[in-house]
Amino acid sequence: IGGAAQYRKSSFLLDAVGESVFPDVVQLNEDPFIPQALGSANCDSEGVATQANQLVTDGVIQHYLLDSYSARKLGLTSTGHASGLHNLILDDTGKSFDECLAAMHRGFLVTELMGHGVNGVTGDYSRGAAGFWVENGKLDRAVEEVTIASNLKAKFKGIVEIGNDLDFRGNIRCGTIIIDNLMSAGSDKHADTVTLDFFTAVGTSCLTCRGAGREENASICIQCVREFFAATRCGSVSFRGSASCV
């Protein structure tokens, strides 16, 4: 929603003011007047006065982020964003970190992102990730060398919960976010791929574990998936349909 991307027509959120991009639970604010906060400022780099803004209300984008030049190109007024955002705050939905894990129940807690696979024009998103597998609402095991992929519009719409464990170390104050329907995949040098559903991939009813053999669309546990890869040299697995905690 930056002004330069809008007048150049190079944004997946082109003409998005008034559009419901997020679910109703999302409230996104900007407050440049928080004492001693990293993003606090009375004016931007052009000398335009900053102001508190409600950028997203009930999931609906309220206005663009404009400097003087982009504002003139769009026939609008500068919003004081020549030097970027000033203390962006994503309101929580009332859950703690542990409550977010319990609400997710099963999925992937992302603690680290790698790479720059974000296309601001189309909204396509693909990045390397590491973190922890969550089972029954508890941290189960460490996970690394994973790719998570989606489209940003779908990712935004998939927000389920926002935790109250805010991080105050930067210009953006945000807690844990639970996102539904992200795809994740892990691979090595082998080209073959096996695709499973997140909710059945770690199911308690694993036909392979019971020795009955894996039928089509049957549940199979993670350990059996690993053993299957080792035996067949199949190097990739994709999981679909999980809530992911970022």
Side-chain angles (χ1 to χ4, degrees), residues 201-215:
V202 200
T204 56
S205 176
C206 178
L207 296 180
T208 305
C209 288
R210 297 208 307 264
R214 183 170 183 266
E215 299 176 1

Side-chain angles (χ1 to χ4, degrees), residues 113-180:
L113 290 170
M114 296 158 280
H116 303 280
V118 182
N119 189 321
V121 179
T122 65
D124 291 336
Y125 180 95
S126 178
R127 296 187 68 183
F132 298 90
W133 178 258
V134 176
E135 180 69 21
N136 296 322
K138 303 291 185 181
L139 298 182
D140 186 64
R141 66 181 73 89
V143 179
E144 61 180 0
E145 297 182 4
V146 174
T147 297
I148 56 175
S150 182
N151 183 274
L152 287 175
K153 275 197 171 183
K155 185 177 178 181
F156 292 162
K157 275 293 188 181
I159 293 176
V160 178
E161 297 284 356
I162 303 166
N164 59 16
D165 52 329
L166 295 182
D167 186 347
F168 296 94
R169 294 173 295 178
N171 192 29
I172 300 175
R173 300 188 175 194
C174 173
T176 299
I177 303 175
I178 300 180
I179 302 175
D180 197 6

Side-chain angles (χ1 to χ4, degrees), residues 8 44 51 78 83 90 109 125 133 154 164 168 176 199 227 244-245:
R8 291 171 181 159
D44 67 6
Q51 56 187 331
S78 173
S83 50
L90 182 61
L109 169 65
Y125 180 95
W133 178 258
N164 59 16
F168 296 94
T176 299
F199 292 111
E227 292 173 359
S244 293
C245 184

Side-chain angles (χ1 to χ4, degrees), residues 27-205:
Q27 317 291 332
L28 189 61
N29 312 295
E30 181 188 27
D31 186 355
F33 308 121
I34 300 175
Q36 300 181 351
L38 292 177
S40 295
N42 290 321
C43 61
D44 67 6
S45 59
E46 295 177 333
V48 177
T50 56
Q51 56 187 331
N53 293 301
Q54 185 81 20
L55 300 180
V56 176
T57 303
D58 298 331
V60 178
I61 295 178
Q62 300 300 308
H63 58 76
Y64 304 122
L65 309 177
L66 308 174
D67 58 14
S68 297
Y69 182 78
S70 62
R72 287 195 298 271
K73 294 285 287 186
L74 294 169
L76 301 171
T77 303
S78 173
T79 57
H81 288 99
S83 50
L85 290 162
H86 306 280
N87 300 325
L88 195 64
I89 305 166
L90 182 61
D91 291 351
D92 63 80
T93 55
K95 282 185 168 60
S96 66
F97 174 74
D98 289 338
E99 289 171 333
C100 284
L101 292 186
M104 181 172 61
H105 186 66
R106 178 186 296 129
F108 180 31
L109 169 65
V110 178
T111 59
E112 181 181 358
L113 290 170
M114 296 158 280
H116 303 280
V118 182
N119 189 321
V121 179
T122 65
D124 291 336
Y125 180 95
S126 178
R127 296 187 68 183
F132 298 90
W133 178 258
V134 176
E135 180 69 21
N136 296 322
K138 303 291 185 181
L139 298 182
D140 186 64
R141 66 181 73 89
V143 179
E144 61 180 0
E145 297 182 4
V146 174
T147 297
I148 56 175
S150 182
N151 183 274
L152 287 175
K153 275 197 171 183
K155 185 177 178 181
F156 292 162
K157 275 293 188 181
I159 293 176
V160 178
E161 297 284 356
I162 303 166
N164 59 16
D165 52 329
L166 295 182
D167 186 347
F168 296 94
R169 294 173 295 178
N171 192 29
I172 300 175
R173 300 188 175 194
C174 173
T176 299
I177 303 175
I178 300 180
I179 302 175
D180 197 6
N181 294 324
L182 275 181
M183 182 179 72
S184 69
S187 64
D188 63 17
K189 62 182 178 181
H190 304 296
D192 293 335
T193 299
V194 172
T195 300
L196 302 172
D197 184 272
F198 249 143
F199 292 111
T200 61
V202 200
T204 56
S205 176

